Amino acid sequence: MRAPAVPTAAVLLALTACSTGPSLENRGDVTAPPGDSHHLTIGSAGFTESDLLAQMYAQLLDQAGYRTSILTVNNRELYEPALESGQIDVVPEYAATFADWLNAKAHGPDAKPVGSPDLAATMKALRGLAAPRGLTVLPPGRAVDQNAFAVTAAYARQHHLKTLSDLGASKLKVRLAAGDECVQRPYCEPGLKKVYGIDITGVDPKGVGTTQAKRAVQEGRDQMVLTTSTDATLDQFGLVLLADDKHLQNADYVVPVVNRSRAGSESVAKALGRLNDVLTTADLADLNRQVDSWRRLPADVARTYLTDKGLLK
């Protein structure tokens, strides 16, 4: 059993010293043949879902004949440069979010976002931004962790709601529990109004998917909460998701990103690609629930899932 390793202060200090991209003298490494190191370090961003994905990646690579270790670095500002430098070889990422992050890194914080609800366009932009940094983005799977909106199951039944379009058509007045940035973000209040015609009367700044936000909806002080599509605790609050049927949210599909010179081989891609055919958004939510609610270890949850799906012997 492998427990995720937490970086020491010395490791974190080393990570902060990593370059932000290939230096001029090493620029040729970007186009070098894909590497195939026998020992691979898998990065985790330190939250439950990232820990689970890192464990699944490590166990699949172990079975494929690699020696793996897991390094937990809670900050993308630290782990992405470490991925470029080869201190981390593989990391689970989210297509649209990572595309926008790399775009801002390359072109400044005010750069126009390149992530969108269009997965193909998002992946094209992401790969174009990743390649000059020596990174290869492997194909996305079926699982997506994107912003999502939930109401109480009773509210949904009462008003016959299954989709956000249904909510817009109902003409109900909706107070939304979300982060304070929701009033400006196109995926949140402005998008709900423009795309779905939902009458948002105000944003209750209780955060994204927090206990306080969910409880406000559960108790009827707010009517809807901004959370994520793999939220594992909705049942505890009597909440259900409304489908984003007009695709307001960006294509944040789970994608493995690898350091090309160390983990860009076909065998790495093949080992990780086996997960793409089976892991769904619903699966990921259930795996999160097993860790967050049942207090199981991510390594154990990952191993049971992969074994049950026939991916581990």
Side-chain angles (χ1 to χ4, degrees):
M1 184 183 302
R2 178 188 299 101
V6 179
T8 64
V11 172
L12 286 173
L13 184 61
L15 294 181
T16 60
C18 295
S19 66
T20 58
S23 62
L24 288 176
E25 61 269 23
N26 295 328
R27 193 65 59 87
D29 293 347
V30 174
T31 55
D36 194 23
S37 174
H38 293 297
H39 179 261
L40 298 175
T41 299
I42 318 300
S44 168
F47 57 94
T48 296
E49 188 168 294
S50 189
D51 288 343
L52 281 163
L53 289 166
Q55 285 289 346
M56 287 190 280
Y57 288 4
Q59 292 174 26
L60 288 169
L61 289 167
D62 285 343
Q63 180 169 260
Y66 294 91
R67 291 175 52 243
T68 65
S69 57
I70 292 177
L71 180 65
T72 300
V73 184
N74 297 341
N75 190 313
R76 188 178 276 116
E77 283 76 10
L78 294 178
Y79 74 68
E80 189 279 331
L83 183 62
E84 290 185 26
S85 71
Q87 289 176 282
I88 293 174
D89 303 305
V90 184
V91 74
E93 263 292 356
Y94 301 92
T97 295
F98 197 46
D100 285 339
W101 195 87
L102 287 180
N103 190 48
K105 186 174 181 179
H107 302 116
D110 296 325
K112 183 179 178 180
V114 295
S116 76
D118 185 328
L119 177 59
T122 296
M123 287 297 295
K124 181 178 179 180
L126 173 56
R127 284 173 167 149
L129 289 160
R133 297 184 175 277
L135 307 180
T136 296
V137 183
L138 300 181
R142 300 162 62 190
V144 56
D145 186 353
Q146 60 193 171
N147 295 305
F149 296 91
V151 298
T152 65
Y155 185 84
R157 285 194 302 270
Q158 179 184 356
H159 300 290
H160 310 289
L161 307 176
K162 292 184 177 180
T163 68
L164 290 171
S165 288
D166 292 340
L167 182 56
S170 74
K171 304 303 180 185
L172 292 164
K173 294 187 181 300
V174 176
R175 180 171 163 86
L176 176 64
D180 53 10
E181 72 279 3
C182 177
V183 297
Q184 296 178 324
R185 296 287 174 86
Y187 65 80
C188 204
E189 180 182 359
L192 292 173
K193 289 180 174 179
K194 180 179 179 180
V195 175
Y196 288 107
I198 297 173
D199 187 1
I200 304 293
T201 60
V203 172
D204 187 3
K206 285 184 163 55
V208 179
T210 63
T211 297
Q212 294 84 352
K214 293 172 192 171
R215 189 164 290 139
V217 176
Q218 181 186 36
E219 296 173 354
R221 288 176 279 123
D222 298 328
Q223 287 70 51
M224 188 162 69
V225 59
L226 170 62
T227 183
T228 65
S229 57
T230 60
D231 190 323
T233 64
L234 294 178
D235 289 349
Q236 298 175 23
F237 297 89
L239 303 178
V240 294
L241 294 178
L242 295 181
D244 179 21
D245 52 310
K246 292 185 179 178
H247 307 292
L248 172 62
Q249 302 305 321
N250 283 344
D252 261 329
Y253 284 76
V254 175
V255 291
V257 182
V258 304
N259 178 291
R260 176 182 171 87
S261 66
R262 289 184 49 81
S265 69
E266 181 61 32
S267 59
V268 169
K270 183 177 179 180
L272 298 180
R274 298 180 67 205
L275 192 59
N276 287 356
D277 295 333
V278 298
L279 184 67
T280 66
T281 303
D283 289 344
L284 203 46
D286 182 61
L287 298 177
N288 287 335
R289 181 181 299 108
Q290 292 182 47
V291 175
D292 292 335
S293 299
W294 303 358
R295 303 304 180 190
R296 294 187 63 197
L297 293 174
D300 294 342
V301 173
R303 182 172 293 105
T304 299
Y305 178 79
L306 294 176
T307 301
D308 288 347
K309 294 296 183 178
L311 300 182
L312 285 186
K313 297 177 181 178

